Amino acid sequence: MKTEGFRHTMRDTMGGHTYVVTITSPTDEVFRYSATVDGVDIEVREMSVIRNKGDAMQLALAAVERHIADLSHKIARDSTTVS
């Protein structure tokens, strides 16, 4: 089954941060994803070809979780160094 022009956007919150994940498929069953946290684009790791919508969603959510965890560590580190 070919999927052409597919686009799905999901918005939610995690750890007090708002994130938006977008899954797209311009042609042929090849999917891409992008994500923002609190309105800021997050770095997406380049992967090989993603041929499944579910895999693209899982990779996007993993990127969001990783970004939020990094933010939490940075905030914690900054609060201990500013005394």
Side-chain angles (χ1 to χ4, degrees), residues 62-80:
V64 168
E65 289 172 348
R66 190 170 41 254
H67 183 80
I68 290 173
D70 289 347
L71 286 175
S72 298
H73 286 101
K74 182 179 179 188
I75 290 168
R77 184 178 63 242
D78 290 348
S79 67
T80 59

Side-chain angles (χ1 to χ4, degrees), residues 6-14 17-24 33-38 53-54 56-62 64-65:
F6 176 84
R7 180 182 180 93
H8 178 75
T9 301
M10 179 178 80
R11 179 185 314 264
D12 205 347
T13 60
M14 180 186 301
H17 299 277
T18 301
Y19 68 89
V20 178
V21 169
T22 302
I23 308 299
T24 59
Y33 64 93
S34 62
T36 63
V37 174
D38 297 332
K53 289 182 264 193
M57 184 62 76
Q58 287 182 330
L59 290 167
L61 289 175
V64 168
E65 289 172 348

Side-chain angles (χ1 to χ4, degrees), residues 28-46:
D28 291 327
E29 293 288 333
V30 175
F31 295 89
R32 296 186 182 135
Y33 64 93
S34 62
T36 63
V37 174
D38 297 332
V40 177
D41 290 338
I42 63 172
E43 185 177 333
V44 174
R45 294 181 179 177
E46 287 298 319

